């Protein structure tokens, strides 16, 4: 079976409590040989490191998600810095900008939105600075905010590369990401019936600029759409991406695994 890596999963979410050994077993049976568990705040980042210590196929990314900043300290860098030296911490993130969920969508005022956006930008920059300092790449989350995300990221793009995860934007957005030396990864969304535009973006992405992921426990690919997602399902996404690109699973496996090792040099 062709090996693939699930480059973005949230194994520390309560959905997976007590099921990690079974989850790893099912992933390996489906050819998913490495799983990168992504932190969204300090606690989940520490838990991801603990999981990586306990299980050989698991690696960790540590950082603060732009929608989880309510409990963030003034400066997120010091505590994250302590985790960065760990041999299985392969990047910093997920970090970025999210304009999909703003305070105004939840009863807040336009002023609340501005405060929130300023906070997101501040924490995003702190993590980008840390990545430069630690010589680690970053995992980028952005939702309905590609332009503002790229505007900030551009200032660091000569020193750090980004994995623009769960990429659903069009070809012009893709081109900007690639021009900055960064790459994208695709989730199970590529298998959704109506996701024609995402498949067009997949078709336009050079084979050496993409990776696959699940974003577990979210975004289960077909035929499990709507159910809890888990790393074993990476296989369905890989199959669809190979089909869209017109390559064999073996070729896609070769490209995506090579890209993952280049992007995450600490991935064993
Ligand atoms: Zn995520």
């Amino acid at each position: 079976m062709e090996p693939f890596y699930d480059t973005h999963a949230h194994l520390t979410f309560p959905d997976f409590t007590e099921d990690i050994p079974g989850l790893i077993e099912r992933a390996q049976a489906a050819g998913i040989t490495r799983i990168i568990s992504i932190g969204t705040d300090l606690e989940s980042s520490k838990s991801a490191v603990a999981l990586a210590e306990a299980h050989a196929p698991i690696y960790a990314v540590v950082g603060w998600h732009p929608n989880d900043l309510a409990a963030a300290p003034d400066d997120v860098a010091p505590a994250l810095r302590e985790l960065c030296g760990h041999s299985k911490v392969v990047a910093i993130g997920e970090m970025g900008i999210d304009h999909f969920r703003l305070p105004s969508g939840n009863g807040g005022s336009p002023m609340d939105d501005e405060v929130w956006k300023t906070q997101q930008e501040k924490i995003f920059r702190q993590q980008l600075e840390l990545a430069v300092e630690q010589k680690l790449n970053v995992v980028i989350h952005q939702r309905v905010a590609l332009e503002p995300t790229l505007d900030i990221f551009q200032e660091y793009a000569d020193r750090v590369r980004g994995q623009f995860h769960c990429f659903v934007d069009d070809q012009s957005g893709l081109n900007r990401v690639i021009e900055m030396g960064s790459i994208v990864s695709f989730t199970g969304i590529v298998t959704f019936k109506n996701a024609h535009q995402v498949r067009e973006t997949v078709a336009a992405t050079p084979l050496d600029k993409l990776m696959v992921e699940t974003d577990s426990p979210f975004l289960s690919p077909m035929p499990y759409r709507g159910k809890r997602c888990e790393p074993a399902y990476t296989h369905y996404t890989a199959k669809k991406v190979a089909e869209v690109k017109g390559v064999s699973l073996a070729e896609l496996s070769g490209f995506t695994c090579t890209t993952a090792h280049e992007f995450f040099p600490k991935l064993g």
Side-chain angles (χ1 to χ4, degrees):
M1 188 165 284
E2 301 81 6
F4 285 96
Y5 304 159
D6 183 354
T7 61
H8 192 114
H10 297 283
L11 301 187
T12 61
F13 280 27
D15 308 66
F16 298 119
T17 314
E18 294 169 26
D19 190 27
I20 296 296
L23 173 151
I24 292 173
E25 216 168 280
R26 292 189 294 277
Q28 293 193 319
I32 313 309
T33 55
R34 289 170 183 70
I35 305 164
I36 302 179
S37 191
I38 313 289
T40 53
D41 58 16
L42 186 60
E43 276 321 297
S44 59
S45 296
K46 284 181 176 169
S47 303
V49 173
L51 275 181
E53 278 177 352
H55 305 279
I58 299 180
Y59 292 80
V61 168
V62 299
W64 287 83
H65 188 292
N67 286 340
D68 290 315
L69 303 181
D74 215 40
D75 184 355
V76 299
L80 289 180
R81 185 178 287 116
E82 286 178 28
L83 302 174
C84 287
H86 193 284
S87 63
K88 293 188 88 177
V89 171
V90 296
I92 301 178
E94 62 185 293
M95 62 174 79
I97 303 288
D98 190 310
H99 287 177
F100 183 73
R101 275 184 249 161
L102 288 173
S104 59
N106 202 15
S109 69
M111 186 67 106
D112 295 333
D113 284 359
E114 289 317 306
V115 171
W116 183 239
K117 285 180 182 176
T118 303
Q119 168 80 340
Q120 286 195 344
E121 179 174 337
K122 183 183 92 175
I123 304 292
F124 185 24
R125 285 181 186 279
Q126 287 173 358
Q127 295 180 90
L128 286 166
E129 303 276 356
L130 182 65
V132 169
E133 172 201 300
Q134 296 289 318
K135 297 187 170 54
L136 286 169
N137 284 326
V138 298
V139 176
I140 305 271
H141 167 102
Q142 64 80 19
R143 195 162 177 193
V144 210
L146 185 62
E147 285 305 315
T149 303
L150 288 176
D151 286 347
I152 296 168
F153 182 76
Q154 188 149 34
E155 297 171 31
Y156 303 86
D158 59 336
R159 287 158 291 161
V160 60
R161 301 174 72 209
Q163 171 191 7
F164 285 71
H165 109 91
C166 192
F167 200 74
V168 293
D169 289 87
D170 66 10
Q171 206 178 326
S172 67
L174 170 77
N175 290 341
R176 282 196 67 194
V177 169
I178 291 175
E179 277 160 21
M180 287 186 200
S182 289
I183 60 175
V184 297
S185 58
F186 296 104
T187 61
I189 290 177
V190 301
T191 70
F192 295 178
K193 209 171 166 212
N194 296 331
H196 304 291
Q197 193 225 287
V198 178
R199 283 188 289 275
E200 277 174 28
T201 302
V202 172
T205 309
L207 276 164
D208 62 350
K209 302 291 181 203
L210 66 90
M211 301 191 291
V212 286
E213 57 158 307
T214 57
D215 205 12
S216 297
F218 312 111
L219 299 175
S220 267
M222 297 292 283
Y224 298 108
R225 187 172 180 179
K227 307 239 166 69
R228 183 190 82 168
C229 190
E230 63 172 70
Y233 300 169
T234 308
H235 178 71
Y236 294 95
T237 300
K239 207 170 152 215
K240 179 56 80 178
V241 169
E243 187 187 308
V244 171
K245 297 301 294 175
V247 298
S248 69
L249 267 181
E251 283 173 282
L252 186 71
S253 164
F255 273 108
T256 55
C257 293
T258 300
T259 300
H261 285 288
E262 277 169 8
F263 187 82
F264 305 111
K266 287 161 79 178
L267 196 65

